[in-house]
Amino acid sequence: MSLKVVGAATLAGATAYGVYAMTRPKKEVPKIIISGGPGSGKGTQCELLVKKYGIKHISTGDALRHHVKTGTDLGKEAKAYMERGDLVPDELVIGICKAEMETKEAKKKRLVT
């Protein structure tokens, strides 16, 4: 936190009094990652966090399905793995999550994945 002079005045050579405002450095939006096995309550916890704090929730499964449905380059690559019954590689899932984190909504709000 720092002080910033907003205005100052002098009165017939007397000491000037300044009006100061507290300025805070811009903070990076925190990112929260919740992990766990299927059925462990990740979605439930995320719903509670979204409701209480108004944050953006990114589900990797939902993001994968969205990218496949909309035909993005990442989605096309993921679809090939999914159609073969293979797991989508971590690098590709991370790329999809990064793309989701670059959306306007994700940049404005705190983030939970």
Side-chain angles (χ1 to χ4, degrees), residues 51-90:
K51 186 176 181 178
K52 184 169 184 173
Y53 298 108
I55 59 180
K56 164 78 174 149
H57 172 223
I58 296 173
S59 161
T60 54
D62 292 346
L64 269 169
R65 286 184 287 278
H66 170 76
H67 281 264
V68 168
K69 183 178 179 180
T70 58
T72 66
D73 290 340
L74 292 170
K76 289 174 186 174
E77 194 176 341
K79 185 177 181 179
Y81 286 98
M82 295 162 77
E83 287 177 342
R84 290 192 307 263
D86 294 336
L87 292 173
V88 178
D90 289 345

Side-chain angles (χ1 to χ4, degrees), residues 14-74:
T15 305
Y17 289 93
V19 179
Y20 297 91
M22 297 297 285
T23 59
R24 296 176 189 254
K26 189 173 183 178
K27 291 184 179 180
E28 184 178 321
V29 176
K31 295 165 183 67
I32 304 165
I33 299 174
I34 297 179
S35 63
S40 63
K42 300 178 300 289
T44 301
Q45 293 303 311
C46 289
E47 286 175 20
L48 294 170
L49 290 167
V50 167
K51 186 176 181 178
K52 184 169 184 173
Y53 298 108
I55 59 180
K56 164 78 174 149
H57 172 223
I58 296 173
S59 161
T60 54
D62 292 346
L64 269 169
R65 286 184 287 278
H66 170 76
H67 281 264
V68 168
K69 183 178 179 180
T70 58
T72 66
D73 290 340
L74 292 170

